[in-house]
Amino acid sequence: MNESILQYRDRLSQYWKQASKVQKYMVLGTIVFLIAVFILTAINLSKTEYVPAFTDLQPSDAASIKGYLDGAKIPYEISPDGKAISVPAAQAPSIKLDVESQGLNKGGSLGYASFEGNKTFGMSDNEFNVKLIVAMQGAIQQMFNQINGVSSSTVLITVPKETAFLVTEKQDSTASVVLNLKNGYKFDQNQVDTMYNLVAKTVPNLKYENITISNQNSELMPYSKAGGVGTSASSQIQQQFQVKNQFQGDLQKNILAMLSQIMGPNKVVVSVVSTLNFDQKSSLQNLVTPVNVQDTRGIEISSQRNTKSSTTEGAVSGGVPGTGNTDVPTYQGNNSAGGNSESEETNEILNFEVNRIKNEIISSPFVVKDLSINVGIEPPIKDDPNSLTPELRDTVQRSLVSIVSASLADSGTTYTDEVLARKVTLFVSPFAPGNIGATSASNNYLLYGGIGAAALILAGLGGYLMRRRKRNEIIEEEIPEPVKVELPTIDMENTSPENQIRRQLESLAKKKPEDFVNLLRTWLVDE
């Protein structure tokens, strides 16, 4: 075992001596880099991660929770303002349960918990009444602190003192509430009315007009006078904005869902702009219509028919004395009338019942007065806007125009096809690439893993280069060097011209072997 270790050490020492300066620097840099990565990873893994477990604490609650954590020897961090306490992330759920089970986080008030035990024994009526008011204030405060968006609250209740004497005017209870709202939170009228109801149902003999609720900026949050049905002007504006945004959002989603099925996901952008009329109208109609529409007659409910007939006989001869121009006044005149006469009279009364309709019409809460739809489509071939066929474009255009026409049907205005077409804008253009978001802090382990992998790759590359260099050196050692041929020396003084030519040829062969070979080839070709 020791011999093997010595052999490996000798080999490493030999490799290190044979390595170049660049290779040595690369190996040393890789080793230092790996050590730094391992140290940073160990520090981050061993570091305790704290998460805020309790926020917006009252001083009394923060002190109680701090005492519990100190007694349980749990590490914690307190914010500079003393209103938040952070605990280790792994222990946060269990610590929250323990604190809540022990009732340490009371929102700054005990509420009715102050009556637990025999704490009221031997207490006078005045002391009990004062403590009861404080308990009611604490209970209301706890309820308000549980509302999402309320950071803290302050409640003050005034209850008139009961007396045995007869008073002419009875005093009512009053309540004042100040809410410390979190940034960005704003309550609508229904939520404000719920807060008023919480206070009114908790305090006896408390009327709604005797309750005042405001925020930390001294802005009054009024109660609706119609028992929660009516709303103030600001609430009406807020509701109108909500209705408008909901209408535009629903219409935009429907158009986007329809076109995404045709063009594909992330290929369509839709923008909807509308103008709504919130003028609400009511009308009353009293209509009378016949039951039988064809004959325009009603239902016969009563009938009365009266028939009267009479017969008269002819008159006797004679007349009124002195009635004629030439008659004597004392003599009767001559009556020429004679014969019998008959008469008949018929009277009929019919009573009909008709349809009596009373319509009370209340218009819808809003009417779409104007609407504009803008749609952007990415062409099938990103760099070629003409790749979208005109047929498909016309189909989408007609669909959007029909949506606008249906939405403006109750606007009271008749729009031509040209006007409706101008309310729809359809353009084809390639979309810009989306922005890549920053990496979250939860991906630190992946980052460290990537750095470690890069370090391993560098170390492997350095080892491979050293191994390759060593192999090349071994190959060079295995290749034998060419044997040097020693030519015999020639005595220049005793040589003949033939010997001098031979000497020149030998010198040429030593200094310029290629030229010597070419010379021999030339001689052979000549022969």
Side-chain angles (χ1 to χ4, degrees):
M1 184 67 181
N2 295 330
E3 295 179 358
S4 299
I5 295 175
L6 292 174
Q7 290 179 359
Y8 285 119
R9 187 186 66 179
D10 294 338
R11 290 181 181 178
L12 290 176
S13 178
Q14 185 178 2
Y15 290 159
W16 181 258
K17 292 179 181 179
Q18 296 176 355
S20 62
K21 291 184 179 181
V22 176
Q23 292 176 342
K24 291 180 180 180
Y25 291 151
M26 184 180 295
V27 173
L28 291 175
T30 304
I31 294 174
V32 173
F33 183 75
L34 287 174
I35 294 174
V37 170
F38 291 151
I39 293 174
L40 291 175
T41 304
I43 292 174
N44 283 275
L45 292 177
S46 61
K47 184 180 179 180
T48 303
E49 183 181 358
Y50 289 90
V51 294
F54 308 99
T55 57
D56 299 327
L57 294 174
Q58 298 296 326
S60 58
D61 296 338
S64 300
I65 296 173
K66 179 180 179 299
Y68 163 75
L69 296 176
D70 290 335
K73 296 181 179 180
I74 299 175
Y76 60 89
E77 292 180 352
I78 301 179
S79 62
D81 57 359
K83 294 184 178 181
I85 297 178
S86 301
V87 297
Q91 304 177 10
S94 60
I95 293 174
K96 289 182 180 179
L97 292 177
D98 294 339
V99 170
E100 295 297 335
S101 63
Q102 297 180 19
L104 301 178
N105 188 11
K106 301 181 178 64
S109 177
L110 296 177
Y112 288 103
S114 59
F115 289 100
E116 294 179 355
N118 296 324
K119 298 179 180 179
T120 60
F121 182 74
M123 189 180 299
S124 63
D125 293 340
N126 291 331
E127 292 177 348
F128 179 81
N129 292 332
V130 171
K131 194 168 185 178
L132 179 60
I133 294 175
V134 173
M136 285 191 296
Q137 293 177 166
I140 297 174
Q141 183 179 358
Q142 291 179 0
M143 288 190 296
F144 277 103
N145 292 342
Q146 296 297 323
I147 299 176
N148 189 19
V150 177
S151 177
S152 60
S153 61
T154 303
V155 181
L156 179 62
I157 298 175
T158 302
V159 179
K161 183 179 179 181
E162 296 182 359
T163 178
F165 297 98
L166 181 64
V167 293
T168 56
E169 295 182 359
K170 184 179 180 180
Q171 296 180 354
D172 297 327
S173 301
T174 59
S176 300
V177 180
V178 178
L179 302 178
N180 186 14
L181 304 181
K182 297 180 181 179
N183 294 331
Y185 279 88
K186 187 176 182 180
F187 299 107
D188 57 17
Q189 189 62 42
N190 293 330
Q191 293 173 324
V192 173
D193 292 342
T194 302
M195 296 178 186
Y196 276 87
N197 292 331
L198 290 176
V199 179
K201 302 302 181 183
T202 305
V203 182
N205 299 326
L206 181 60
K207 299 179 181 179
Y208 289 97
E209 56 268 19
N210 294 333
I211 302 174
T212 303
I213 300 178
S214 63
N215 57 15
Q216 69 271 25
N217 298 324
S218 300
E219 296 177 353
L220 185 64
M221 303 168 65
Y223 177 71
S224 61
K225 302 300 181 181
V229 178
T231 56
S232 60
S234 60
S235 178
Q236 289 181 355
I237 295 174
Q238 184 178 3
Q239 290 181 357
Q240 291 177 3
F241 273 111
Q242 291 178 355
V243 171
K244 180 179 179 180
N245 293 334
Q246 184 176 0
F247 170 76
Q248 294 180 167
D250 293 342
L251 186 59
Q252 181 176 348
K253 290 179 181 178
N254 294 333
I255 296 174
L256 186 61
M258 178 187 68
L259 297 180
S260 296
Q261 297 294 329
I262 301 174
M263 306 304 302
N266 301 326
K267 296 291 185 181
V268 181
V269 177
V270 181
S271 175
V272 177
V273 180
S274 63
T275 301
L276 305 183
N277 186 3
F278 291 92
D279 295 338
Q280 192 170 1
K281 299 179 181 179
S282 61
S283 60
L284 182 64
Q285 294 180 346
N286 292 322
L287 304 179
V288 179
T289 59
V291 178
N292 189 349
V293 181
Q294 296 180 355
D295 299 336
T296 64
R297 292 170 59 97
I299 300 175
E300 185 177 338
I301 58 175
S302 63
S303 175
Q304 182 179 2
R305 178 173 296 181
N306 297 323
T307 303
K308 183 188 295 184
S309 61
S310 61
T311 303
T312 305
E313 296 180 353
V316 181
S317 299
V320 180
T323 57
N325 295 329
T326 59
D327 293 340
V328 180
T330 57
Y331 289 91
Q332 296 181 352
N334 187 13
N335 188 2
S336 61
N340 300 329
S341 64
E342 296 180 358
S343 64
E344 183 177 356
E345 180 181 357
T346 302
N347 185 13
E348 184 177 5
I349 300 175
L350 298 177
N351 293 324
F352 294 93
E353 182 65 26
V354 295
N355 293 329
R356 301 181 185 274
I357 303 173
K358 184 179 181 180
N359 294 329
E360 185 175 358
I361 302 173
I362 299 177
S363 61
S364 61
F366 70 92
V367 176
V368 182
K369 188 176 180 180
D370 197 1
L371 181 64
S372 175
I373 299 177
N374 302 315
V375 177
I377 299 178
E378 187 175 26
I381 301 176
K382 189 173 183 180
D383 297 332
D384 186 10
N386 297 325
S387 59
L388 185 66
T389 60
E391 294 79 6
L392 181 58
R393 183 167 182 170
D394 293 341
T395 302
V396 175
Q397 181 81 15
R398 288 195 300 269
S399 301
L400 298 177
V401 170
S402 63
I403 293 174
V404 174
S405 177
S407 301
L408 298 177
D410 297 332
S411 62
T413 305
T414 303
Y415 295 97
T416 61
D417 295 339
E418 296 180 356
V419 175
L420 293 175
R422 287 198 298 268
K423 296 182 180 296
V424 175
T425 302
L426 180 63
F427 59 92
V428 181
S429 175
F431 293 169
N435 294 328
I436 301 175
T439 306
S440 177
S442 61
N443 296 329
N444 288 335
Y445 295 114
L446 296 178
L447 177 61
Y448 295 145
I451 294 174
L456 293 176
I457 292 173
L458 291 176
L461 181 61
Y464 172 74
L465 293 176
M466 292 185 64
R467 184 177 178 184
R468 183 178 179 182
R469 177 181 176 83
K470 182 62 179 176
R471 186 174 58 183
N472 293 334
E473 292 177 354
I474 294 174
I475 293 173
E476 291 177 357
E477 291 178 356
E478 293 178 353
I479 298 175
E481 295 182 358
V483 180
K484 296 181 179 180
V485 180
E486 295 182 0
L487 298 175
T489 59
I490 302 173
D491 189 4
M492 297 299 298
E493 295 179 356
N494 300 323
T495 56
S496 61
E498 295 178 356
N499 292 333
Q500 291 181 359
I501 294 173
R502 181 179 178 181
R503 176 179 131 331
Q504 293 177 356
L505 292 175
E506 289 175 356
S507 177
L508 180 63
K510 290 180 181 180
K511 296 180 179 180
K512 299 181 180 180
E514 295 180 356
D515 295 340
F516 178 73
V517 173
N518 294 330
L519 181 60
L520 292 178
R521 290 178 180 177
T522 304
W523 288 349
L524 294 174
V525 172
D526 294 338
E527 292 180 356

